[in-house]
Amino acid sequence: MGHTATPQNASGGLTATEHRLANGLRVVLSEDHLTPVAAVCLWYDVGSRHEVPGRTGLAHLFEHLMFQGSAQVHGNGHFELVQAAGGSLNGTTSFERTNYFETMPAHELELSLWLEADRMGTLLAALDEESMENQRDVVKNERRQRYDNVPYGTAFEKLTAMVYPEGHPYHHTPIGSMADLDAASLEDAREFFRTYYAPGNAVLSVVGDIDPEQTLAWIEKYFGSIPSHSGKQPPRDGTLPANIGEELREVVKEDVPARALTVAYRLPTDGTREADAADLALTALGGGESSRLYNRLVRRDGSAVTAGFGLLRLAGAPSLGWLDVKSSGGAEVAGIEEAVDEELARFAAEGPSPEEMERAQAQLEREWLDRLATVGGRADELCRYAVLFGDPQLALTAVRRVLDITPEEVRAVAAAHLHPQNRAVLVYEPTGPADETSADEEDAEGAAK
């Protein structure tokens, strides 16, 4: 096993060392004896972008199947063992990866490593029609609860499909479609697991109150014998023009509590200076109650109850800038949109004020340092930079990169991307009796424009 120590004092004295097992598993360790806990994080380089049309939702279905038991851990045993040991755990799926994580009392670290290795190595021994059916129903129910049956629940799905055109690997969201979930066979699932849940397609990070030598010995013991597998194809190309080139718009009439404006912009790919500049621009414009759009729409105009602007960083396609405004007291969306455009145009022309720049950088710096200060947050970021950018050390220098961006770079990225020719717009109109007249009036206004 290779052992390359990289003691970079990159962020508040935090360091990480990197190792690789013979079967291809990459390992990142970060020692921190502040509290007697250890975080284990495993990123598999598979997300919804690796799926093909007709078979969407498999990556997310697998996140659930991984908690259904393996050769030596039956049924719900993974949850039960971790929680009985005083730990917490979960898994999540995104466009670009699936991750699994536990935070344990430090003396229970070995249990966590054994559990992760057992399911990486032996999940197929326990995967049968019954567990597949069971988790298929769980995922379909999750889709109903989080997307289909909640106000504004399908906004993300609709906007994603507009910003990333048909046939693009990011056109569909990780939740997948009901039809595709029904169509997935047990053999589809087995093939997916063999291809993507191989050691060479994963990064394991362990952060916290650990003895690195002992930890590596356990990792070698439990993961080292899992055979490698190299059948994975690279994800489909997610390259797109920097801007959409037109405004895409849809009016959604649903039983929602208030009118809403949700807008998505194409923004620079993660891992670039431009993405950091975009993050600062969106933070200044809509990151909290001191932001420009909140001050204009909520405080000054009183036309909105919330106004937020955030960045979904993506490494394999343009990132997504996400604006979400909920109207106040029946305010018309057209007026809100006009105010938004005014503020974005002013920002693109003048850039952030010195105070806005300082506040945005301080906000992002605090968010980053808070994340790296927890063992779970740091474990996750080390995995993220290893999987998506090939270098976990970049997690420890991320703060420095944000603080290095100039106001002119922030202005330039806003001017280049935050304009009407680069956005998908959803206007939500409530279908309740009280709102029918004003909704119809607004439709007529829109048609006349």
Side-chain angles (χ1 to χ4, degrees):
M1 178 163 56
H3 179 158
T4 43
T6 340
Q8 265 178 270
N9 248 348
S11 182
L14 303 179
T15 60
T17 61
E18 300 166 52
H19 319 267
R20 193 183 280 268
L21 304 198
N23 60 10
L25 179 70
R26 286 178 290 170
V27 177
V28 185
L29 304 181
S30 182
E31 220 178 325
D32 180 350
H33 302 290
L34 204 58
T35 51
V37 291
V40 171
C41 185
L42 197 52
W43 271 47
Y44 290 93
D45 187 4
V46 59
S48 56
R49 68 168 168 166
H50 296 85
E51 297 164 349
V52 293
R55 285 293 175 271
T56 67
L58 268 177
H60 180 231
L61 178 62
F62 247 96
E63 176 213 314
H64 287 263
L65 290 171
M66 285 283 275
F67 290 100
Q68 273 284 283
S70 43
Q72 299 177 79
V73 181
H74 301 296
N76 208 27
H78 198 108
F79 270 103
E80 289 162 2
L81 286 164
V82 170
Q83 288 169 342
S88 60
L89 71 162
N90 215 331
T92 68
T93 312
S94 77
F95 290 101
E96 301 184 322
R97 57 94 184 110
T98 313
N99 68 349
Y100 302 90
F101 44 93
E102 295 91 22
T103 298
M104 305 286 274
H107 66 277
E108 295 287 4
L109 171 61
E110 186 182 5
L111 170 65
S112 183
L113 293 170
W114 174 77
L115 283 165
E116 288 295 357
D118 198 58
R119 59 181 175 181
M120 181 192 280
T122 69
L123 185 92
L124 291 187
L127 182 59
D128 56 19
E129 289 286 1
E130 187 186 349
S131 58
M132 179 94 171
E133 208 47 52
N134 176 354
Q135 290 311 303
R136 199 194 317 253
D137 286 345
V138 169
V139 171
K140 285 162 76 174
N141 201 37
E142 183 184 338
R143 190 190 155 85
R144 288 184 202 101
Q145 288 179 339
R146 287 178 46 200
Y147 285 73
D148 300 337
N149 298 337
V150 292
Y152 320 106
T154 54
F156 181 64
E157 202 169 35
K158 287 177 192 292
L159 285 173
T160 299
M162 290 160 84
V163 171
Y164 306 107
E166 188 81 45
H168 188 271
Y170 293 66
H171 179 70
H172 70 279
T173 56
I175 193 78
S177 79
M178 290 283 203
D180 286 1
L181 284 167
D182 281 332
S185 70
L186 185 59
E187 196 36 56
D188 287 334
R190 286 182 173 143
E191 187 52 37
F192 192 88
F193 181 84
R194 281 191 287 265
T195 303
Y196 293 109
Y197 279 73
N201 198 45
V203 172
L204 170 68
S205 68
V206 186
V207 174
D209 189 13
I210 61 171
D211 172 342
E213 278 186 34
Q214 175 64 78
T215 304
L216 275 175
W218 283 330
I219 292 169
E220 185 66 77
K221 177 181 176 183
Y222 297 123
F223 289 89
S225 59
I226 300 172
S228 57
H229 180 80
S230 55
K232 180 189 170 187
Q233 297 298 307
R236 291 176 295 138
D237 183 20
T239 311
L240 283 171
N243 286 329
I244 298 168
E246 61 177 321
E247 181 184 77
L248 307 169
R249 178 178 288 269
E250 190 184 324
V251 176
V252 183
K253 295 191 173 183
E254 276 182 11
D255 184 14
V256 291
R259 292 194 178 111
L261 173 72
T262 53
V263 186
Y265 295 84
R266 249 184 228 170
L267 287 169
T269 307
D270 195 14
T272 59
R273 280 185 75 93
E274 291 80 8
D276 287 333
D279 209 349
L280 286 163
L282 301 196
T283 302
L285 285 163
E289 295 187 6
S290 57
S291 66
R292 195 177 280 211
L293 289 172
Y294 191 95
N295 275 323
R296 170 72 189 268
L297 299 169
V298 181
R299 288 215 171 94
R300 195 190 106 181
D301 297 357
S303 58
V305 286
T306 61
F309 213 165
L311 179 66
L312 175 63
R313 289 174 175 262
L314 295 170
S319 298
L320 198 65
W322 181 269
L323 174 67
D324 183 23
V325 184
K326 302 289 190 295
S327 75
S328 168
E332 298 286 349
V333 170
I336 291 173
E337 207 172 335
E338 203 175 298
V340 168
D341 285 345
E342 228 175 78
E343 294 301 335
L344 293 186
R346 188 179 299 132
F347 193 87
E350 301 166 6
S353 69
E355 296 76 25
E356 282 178 319
M357 187 71 185
E358 193 181 331
R359 194 162 53 231
Q361 284 182 315
Q363 193 170 325
L364 291 185
E365 179 182 27
R366 188 176 64 250
E367 284 170 15
W368 261 110
L369 293 178
D370 285 350
R371 190 141 176 71
L372 293 177
T374 69
V375 290
R378 196 184 326 155
D380 194 54
E381 292 298 341
L382 289 168
C383 279
R384 178 164 89 94
Y385 279 98
V387 168
L388 298 179
F389 305 105
D391 183 4
Q393 305 295 337
L394 288 169
L396 306 181
T397 53
V399 173
R400 191 187 303 160
R401 288 193 295 280
V402 168
L403 298 179
D404 197 35
I405 301 295
T406 65
E408 174 50 28
E409 286 175 288
V410 174
R411 188 207 63 74
V413 82
H417 300 282
L418 300 181
H419 54 75
Q421 295 302 298
N422 180 40
R423 69 183 179 196
V425 180
L426 284 187
V427 175
Y428 275 87
E429 285 291 349
T431 54
D435 291 289
E436 275 170 7
T437 316
S438 55
D440 290 344
E441 281 168 6
E442 190 160 309
D443 279 352
E445 268 175 42
K449 277 182 183 171

